[in-house]
Amino acid sequence: MSDSRKQEYLSQILQMNPLEQPAEILNRRKLFLQPQSDSRLHDSMNSSYEERRAQILEQINSLRKHFWSFKTSVIEQRLNEIDIADFPELTFAIGRLKKIAALRESFSQLQHRCENCEEFYTQFSTLVISSPAEAERLRSVTFSPSPANTFDFELPRLEDHRELARIVQQEFPELHALEKDWINQLAATSKKSNAIAWMVQTLHTLIAITAGISVVLILYLCL
């Protein structure tokens, strides 16, 4: 190994900040120790850390977008092709998608059970593959009261959601584990909402009956 190559390597390393450029430092060290490494290492060195991370996130988000339309083998292959060696913080995202891909059969069975309430399956299947930030937003939307539906008493739909949440809890423990808090809260919220909606609907019915009786009495007294 020539002295000039050593000097060039040391010069490059000394100019880099180990707190901000750890991945680049490791790559340059690997290239220095293994000069015959394949061209992918050279390409990665030419791209900044941020650019490569953005590219990987784009790949992951693209997989999320088309997750349920791809075959399991395609998903697993593409996930395995994503190199996150320099990005340990993305390990969870890749691992979660791999886990969900492995549970594809369970999701198919659940979808069959949700034939009469596709909304539940759509919400659940979207939630489990979403990014952490998007998943948090979806959870909050699920349990936020909707002014537009304040007087929309869809008792059967609420009961369907509660029943499907119970089915996931009891019959699909592997799916329940993916969103345990969401499923449990949905089951409890649906049951409570059912009771509240029934009470409000009953109250409105009583008010309508009372108003009707009042009108009849007024008309009778006017005769």
Side-chain angles (χ1 to χ4, degrees):
M1 185 179 296
S2 65
D3 291 339
S4 60
R5 187 166 179 274
K6 292 180 181 178
Q7 291 174 356
E8 181 182 0
Y9 166 71
L10 290 174
S11 176
Q12 292 174 344
I13 292 297
L14 291 174
Q15 294 179 44
M16 302 176 76
N17 187 335
L19 296 178
E20 298 179 356
Q21 300 171 285
E24 284 82 350
I25 291 175
L26 290 174
N27 283 337
R28 289 183 184 276
R29 181 176 183 276
K30 184 176 180 180
L31 181 61
F32 175 72
L33 296 176
Q34 302 175 8
Q36 301 303 320
S37 296
D38 60 32
S39 60
R40 287 182 300 176
L41 183 58
H42 294 272
D43 293 337
S44 66
M45 289 178 60
N46 292 330
S47 300
S48 70
Y49 180 89
E50 292 77 12
E51 289 175 338
R52 288 187 290 120
R53 189 176 188 278
Q55 291 172 358
I56 291 176
L57 285 175
E58 185 176 350
Q59 288 178 278
I60 294 175
N61 288 331
S62 178
L63 270 178
R64 286 188 175 120
K65 183 178 180 181
H66 304 286
F67 191 90
W68 298 111
S69 61
F70 285 158
K71 292 182 178 179
T72 301
S73 58
V74 174
I75 295 172
E76 292 175 340
Q77 178 183 348
R78 295 196 179 186
L79 287 172
N80 289 331
E81 290 174 350
I82 299 177
D83 183 7
I84 57 171
D86 295 331
F87 310 96
E89 71 276 13
L90 299 180
T91 302
F92 174 80
I94 295 293
R96 184 171 174 85
L97 291 178
K98 285 183 177 180
K99 184 175 183 179
I100 295 170
L103 295 172
R104 196 66 172 270
E105 181 59 30
S106 294
F107 276 98
S108 295
Q109 293 175 14
L110 177 61
Q111 185 176 22
H112 179 70
R113 298 295 297 273
C114 295
E115 287 182 344
N116 296 325
C117 189
E118 295 182 359
E119 181 185 359
F120 175 87
Y121 180 79
T122 299
Q123 289 179 344
F124 182 59
S125 61
T126 301
L127 178 60
V128 295
I129 62 171
S130 297
S131 66
E134 177 63 10
E136 186 61 32
R137 186 190 70 80
L138 291 174
R139 293 187 195 100
S140 64
V141 169
T142 300
F143 299 109
S144 296
S146 175
N149 294 327
T150 302
F151 301 105
D152 185 11
F153 308 109
E154 299 184 35
L155 299 181
R157 185 182 67 83
L158 291 172
E159 180 60 27
D160 286 343
H161 278 68
R162 187 182 73 82
E163 178 62 19
L164 288 169
R166 184 190 65 79
I167 288 175
V168 174
Q169 289 173 327
Q170 297 181 3
E171 300 181 24
F172 298 91
E174 69 281 11
L175 302 185
H176 180 224
L178 295 173
E179 282 293 336
K180 184 180 298 184
D181 292 340
W182 185 80
I183 290 293
N184 293 345
Q185 187 176 357
L186 181 60
T189 301
S190 295
K191 188 174 182 179
K192 182 178 179 181
S193 298
N194 233 5
I196 293 175
W198 182 85
M199 291 173 62
V200 174
Q201 186 179 34
T202 301
L203 179 60
H204 276 243
T205 301
L206 291 174
I207 292 174
I209 292 174
T210 301
I213 293 175
S214 298
V215 171
V216 171
L217 288 174
I218 292 173
L219 291 175
Y220 177 78
L221 293 174
C222 291
L223 293 178

